[in-house]
């Protein structure tokens, strides 16, 4: 039976294989390498034992220039029937600004995206590891020059968190975390490709209490844009700092 490390390595390998960048078409593709900074404030307000409200605010920068290239606000309603399952549905707004050599749209202008999403997450223990699986479906309205384009996307994330020093029922402790998430577009309106992106992160964090934690580390994003240039596919390779603050209000 495969160990957790072997399973995670297998998932990352599959994600990489699914990426068109490893195919024979590599020589006919355009590649853009960028440094980024991702910062997130994630809040939960509990409404009883099972229900709650969610909001996260994200700002994403090109750190050397200090320019903001993406802003995201996501809201939702949580339902947790037990300690293992977590469901959420909600709305997100995204503002994309041009950055790098190949902006999201050919005009290089600010664009908006509106999303409706549904999420199911499952949590379990593997020895001292806290393992979380998350599946999310998104219905997206992407702004183009004179209209919005509809698209669907499905996301799967696996995350493992390992306490560095921890005792039973301890609420304050440091930890290490690794996660991988692959995103795939689907539906008749997908213009160019199914593969959207893969995100891999390695972070260190600290639980200050059961209601507050802070983590920071390195993230790498491999993304294929939903457009081509001179009939060539465009791939982004974004690497940089990720920092997340989680706050829960009972």
């Amino acid at each position: 039976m495969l160990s957790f490390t072997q399973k995670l390595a297998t998932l990352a390998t599959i994600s990489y294989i699914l990426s068109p960048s490893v195919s024979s078409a590599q020589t006919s593709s355009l590649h853009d390498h960028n440094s980024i900074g991702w910062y997130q404030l994630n809040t939960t307000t509990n409404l009883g034992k099972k229900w709650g409200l969610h909001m996260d605010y994200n700002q994403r920068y090109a750190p050397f220039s200090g320019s903001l290239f993406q802003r995201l606000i996501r809201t939702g309603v949580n339902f947790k029937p037990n300690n293992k399952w977590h469901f959420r549905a909600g709305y997100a707004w995204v503002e994309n600004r041009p950055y790098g050599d190949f902006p999201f749209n050919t005009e290089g202008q600010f664009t908006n995206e509106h999303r409706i999403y549904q999420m199911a997450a499952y949590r379990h223990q593997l020895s001292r590891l806290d393992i979380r699986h998350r599946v999310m479906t998104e219905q997206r309205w992407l702004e183009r020059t004179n209209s919005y384009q509809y698209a669907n996307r499905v996301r799967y994330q696996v995350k493992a968190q390992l306490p560095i020093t921890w005792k039973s029922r301890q609420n304050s402790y440091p930890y290490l975390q690794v996660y991988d998430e692959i995103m795939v577009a689907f539906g008749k309106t997908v213009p160019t490709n199914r593969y959207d992106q893969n995100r891999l992160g390695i972070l260190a964090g600290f639980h200050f209490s059961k209601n507050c934690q802070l983590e920071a580390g390195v993230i790498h994003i491999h993304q294929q844009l939903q457009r081509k240039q001179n009939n060539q596919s465009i791939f982004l390779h974004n690497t940089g700092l990720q920092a997340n603050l989680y706050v829960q209000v009972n």
Side-chain angles (χ1 to χ4, degrees):
M1 186 174 180
L2 292 177
S3 67
F4 170 74
T5 303
Q6 291 172 317
K7 290 178 180 179
L8 192 61
T10 301
L11 174 66
T13 302
I14 292 172
S15 300
Y16 188 74
I17 291 174
L18 287 175
S19 164
S21 66
V22 300
S23 69
S24 60
Q26 176 90 349
T27 56
S28 62
S29 303
L30 300 172
H31 296 265
D32 187 17
H33 296 261
N34 299 288
S35 296
I36 60 172
W38 280 39
Y39 311 107
Q40 178 187 99
L41 170 63
N42 189 310
T43 66
T44 300
T45 302
N46 292 328
L47 304 175
K49 293 183 178 180
K50 295 184 177 182
W51 293 91
L53 300 177
H54 170 86
M55 192 281 288
D56 63 87
Y57 177 74
N58 300 259
Q59 288 203 159
R60 297 161 182 176
Y61 289 89
F64 294 114
S65 65
S67 60
L68 178 69
F69 69 82
Q70 190 176 71
R71 191 197 324 262
L72 182 149
I73 300 174
R74 183 165 31 219
T75 61
V77 176
N78 292 325
F79 177 64
K80 295 183 178 181
N82 51 51
N83 291 330
K84 293 183 178 295
W85 286 98
H86 179 191
F87 301 94
R88 179 185 301 148
Y91 163 80
W93 168 77
V94 186
E95 178 189 58
N96 293 303
R97 304 184 181 189
Y99 77 100
D101 296 331
F102 305 101
F104 286 97
N105 57 69
T106 55
E107 297 81 8
Q109 299 177 350
F110 288 22
T111 60
N112 292 301
E113 176 186 340
H114 301 278
R115 267 180 223 168
I116 297 173
Y117 70 93
Q118 304 81 36
M119 183 202 81
Y122 179 73
R123 179 178 182 178
H124 64 97
Q125 295 292 131
L126 183 62
S127 186
R128 293 181 61 201
L129 285 172
D130 181 10
I131 312 296
R132 305 185 186 192
H133 305 268
R134 185 183 76 182
V135 176
M136 184 182 296
T137 55
E138 298 174 322
Q139 299 80 52
R140 311 169 68 198
W141 287 265
L142 308 165
E143 186 177 15
R144 295 297 182 250
T145 304
N146 297 311
S147 63
Y148 278 85
Q149 177 181 303
Y150 177 76
N152 294 291
R153 186 168 66 182
V154 62
R155 307 165 57 157
Y156 169 69
Q157 180 191 87
V158 58
K159 178 187 294 186
Q161 188 176 116
L162 175 66
I164 297 176
T165 57
W166 183 80
K167 296 180 181 179
S168 179
R169 302 193 180 190
Q170 181 179 346
N171 292 323
S172 177
Y173 56 90
Y175 62 89
L176 297 174
Q177 182 184 108
V178 60
Y179 71 86
D180 189 84
E181 182 172 24
I182 186 168
M183 306 182 191
V184 178
F186 66 95
K188 296 180 180 180
T189 58
V190 177
T192 306
N193 57 282
R194 303 293 176 182
Y195 170 79
D196 183 88
Q197 61 182 284
N198 189 80
R199 299 176 181 176
L200 177 65
I202 302 174
L203 303 94
F206 193 87
H207 278 273
F208 296 96
S209 70
K210 65 179 182 180
N211 295 329
C212 182
Q213 67 186 86
L214 177 66
E215 59 191 27
V218 177
I219 183 174
H220 175 74
I221 304 171
H222 180 272
Q223 181 176 5
Q224 182 176 3
L225 295 187
Q226 293 290 331
R227 70 177 183 89
K228 292 186 177 182
Q229 184 163 310
N230 299 324
N231 206 31
Q232 292 178 295
S233 297
I234 302 171
F235 295 94
L236 305 183
H237 307 265
N238 296 335
T239 305
L241 172 67
Q242 180 179 11
N244 307 315
L245 174 63
Y246 296 87
V247 178
Q248 180 173 287
V249 180
N250 292 324

